[in-house]
């Protein structure tokens, strides 16, 4: 009996047999430490395209759009393309939601991920590349995203072991809190987030958009 023919949608990408970033050029903001560095390491381990023994570093002020745009242009000039953008660098500013931000620098630091993603999206369109954008979000602000013409998703980490979160494990009630949690009573290493980033940046995620992947560990276990 002849094998059954599977009808595929016109224009639908052919699924690959494994998750890989082979041949892809990925831009990641905030790779000098913490989550960004961990993501970069995992992307390299999954065959992201590099021209040097290690990933290439471009010093950029992520709070200034011209600086980010210049960096993206440099990447395209040097590598010939750009396939993915991880908008990772950022900070948290807690204040009442109805209170206006009086400091434009603080506003740029907190909400700067969106214009950074816009810059990458414009470059994808100009180059005719089906690009992938991944935002670094947080479980504290978990919200589903709407679908978009460009693949846009986010990762929501729980508590991650970084230099900026050094105080978490030093809290006097840390051991007591851990005794009440199920699951994984520890902080995550940045590299443990990498698998989800690799998936969302790969062609395997060609039908995945508008979602958030919580990598929460203990968060949500209570």
């Amino acid at each position: 009996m002849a094998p059954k023919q599977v009808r595929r949608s016109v224009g639908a990408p052919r699924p690959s047999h494994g998750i890989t970033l082979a041949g892809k050029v990925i831009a990641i903001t905030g790779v000098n430490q913490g989550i960004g560095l961990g993501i970069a390491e995992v992307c390299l381990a999954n065959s992201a395209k590099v021209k040097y023994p290690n990933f290439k570093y471009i010093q950029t002020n992520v709070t200034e759009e011209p600086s980010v745009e210049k960096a993206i242009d440099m990447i395209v000039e040097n590598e010939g393309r750009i396939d993915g953008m991880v908008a990772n660098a950022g900070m948290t500013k807690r204040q009442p939601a109805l209170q206006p931000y009086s400091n434009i620098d603080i506003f740029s630091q907190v909400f700067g991920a969106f214009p950074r993603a816009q810059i990458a999206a414009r470059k994808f369109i100009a180059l005719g590349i089906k690009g992938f954008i991944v935002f670094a979000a947080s479980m504290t602000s978990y919200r589903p995203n709407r679908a978009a013409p460009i693949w846009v998703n986010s990762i929501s980490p729980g508590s991650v072991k970084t230099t900026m979160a050094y105080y978490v494990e030093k809290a006097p009630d840390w051991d007591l809190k851990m005794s009440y949690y199920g699951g994984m009573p520890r902080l995550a290493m940045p590299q443990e987030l990498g698998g989800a980033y690799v998936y969302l940046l790969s062609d395997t995620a060609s039908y995945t958009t508008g979602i958030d992947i919580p990598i929460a560990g203990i968060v949500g276990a209570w």
Side-chain angles (χ1 to χ4, degrees):
M1 180 180 293
K4 183 178 180 180
Q5 296 296 316
V6 178
R7 184 184 295 256
R8 300 178 66 248
S9 300
V10 175
R14 184 177 298 278
S16 61
H17 296 290
I19 298 177
T20 178
L21 296 179
K24 290 186 177 294
V25 177
I26 308 298
I28 306 171
T29 59
V31 298
N32 61 316
Q33 63 179 358
I35 293 175
L37 180 59
I39 296 166
E41 291 174 349
V42 177
C43 284
L44 286 173
N46 283 270
S47 304
K49 179 183 177 183
V50 290
K51 298 182 71 173
Y52 307 96
N54 208 332
F55 57 83
K56 187 172 182 180
Y57 176 79
I58 301 175
Q59 187 170 0
T60 307
N61 186 343
V62 294
T63 67
E64 297 180 358
E65 291 187 42
S67 180
V68 176
E69 190 160 17
K70 180 180 179 181
I72 296 297
D73 288 341
M74 288 178 61
I75 292 172
V76 174
E77 181 179 351
N78 294 334
E79 308 295 339
R81 62 185 295 114
I82 181 171
D83 301 279
M85 172 70 166
V86 178
N88 168 71
M91 59 175 289
T92 300
K93 172 68 175 178
R94 292 184 173 89
Q95 69 178 50
L98 298 181
Q99 180 180 333
Y101 282 87
S102 57
N103 189 322
I104 190 64
D105 291 332
I106 293 296
F107 185 87
S108 297
Q109 291 171 6
V110 176
F111 297 106
F114 182 70
R116 293 196 292 270
Q118 283 183 313
I119 292 170
R122 288 194 292 266
K123 186 62 67 174
F124 294 151
I125 294 171
L127 297 174
I129 291 176
K130 295 181 178 180
F132 295 81
I133 296 174
V134 183
F135 287 104
S138 170
M139 285 301 295
T140 60
S141 58
Y142 182 80
R143 296 288 187 276
N145 296 318
R146 292 179 178 271
I150 294 173
W151 291 275
V152 179
N153 301 289
S154 64
I155 303 294
S156 286
S159 299
V160 182
K161 193 179 186 68
T162 68
T163 55
M164 294 180 67
Y166 71 93
Y167 59 89
V168 175
E169 292 178 300
K170 296 182 181 297
D173 60 345
W174 172 255
D175 291 335
L176 178 62
K177 287 181 178 179
M178 291 301 98
S179 67
Y180 288 102
Y181 293 158
M184 306 175 195
R186 63 175 178 82
L187 299 181
M189 296 301 294
Q191 292 80 0
E192 292 182 280
L193 312 178
Y197 278 93
V198 169
Y199 166 66
L200 291 178
L201 290 165
S202 71
D203 289 333
T204 308
S206 57
Y207 201 60
T208 303
T209 190
I211 68 150
D212 180 88
I213 299 180
I215 306 179
I218 58 175
V219 179
W222 55 84

